Amino acid sequence: QVQLVESGGGSVQAGGSMRVSCSFVVNGFKSIAMAWFRQAPGQEREGVAAIDTGDGSTYYLNSVEGRFTISHDNAKNHLYLEMNALNPDDTTMYICAAHCLRGQGLGCVFAYWGQGTQVSVS
């Protein structure tokens, strides 16, 4: 079983930076794929960044590559998304996901999802 809880969202001005975090409790897995998605009301969920906590491979949505960085700290059971050069298009709910059932990177079908944390850029 995996439990995910996001934190760190809020409001920031365009051009600013923010880090969102996801605390995870993982039972029965040595390493898993994890990711950040985002979803605005009435829109489809969009994969932003993914990481394999085993070999460290990372994957990014084209529009965030070079601005966002996904990382994890297994000792602290945390997944992070560092976001720089934010713009209003980045405003939405950011959601943590874990355990890839099939696929790879941002194409994974993930088994577990958090509730999300809101990021607003103005």
Side-chain angles (χ1 to χ4, degrees), residues 89-103:
D89 289 341
D90 298 315
T91 294
T92 189
M93 183 76 73
Y94 285 77
I95 306 162
C96 177
H99 186 40
C100 181
L101 295 172
R102 59 184 181 274

Side-chain angles (χ1 to χ4, degrees), residues 7-91:
S7 62
S11 299
V12 65
Q13 289 188 339
S17 299
M18 180 179 290
R19 186 177 76 166
V20 291
S21 303
C22 173
S23 67
F24 58 88
V25 176
V26 178
N27 295 319
F29 299 100
K30 291 184 178 181
S31 66
I32 58 173
M34 301 190 71
W36 286 98
F37 283 71
R38 61 188 183 186
Q39 185 172 24
Q43 296 188 16
E44 290 189 2
R45 190 171 290 176
E46 176 180 59
V48 175
I51 187 168
D52 184 318
T53 63
D55 63 17
S57 299
T58 57
Y59 309 83
Y60 293 96
L61 181 69
N62 284 345
S63 63
V64 308
E65 181 120 39
R67 298 191 297 124
F68 290 10
T69 302
I70 188 171
S71 62
H72 69 98
D73 185 334
N74 281 352
K76 296 181 179 179
N77 283 358
H78 270 75
L79 178 75
Y80 304 103
L81 184 67
E82 183 75 37
M83 302 180 287
N84 299 310
L86 285 161
N87 61 66
D89 289 341
D90 298 315
T91 294

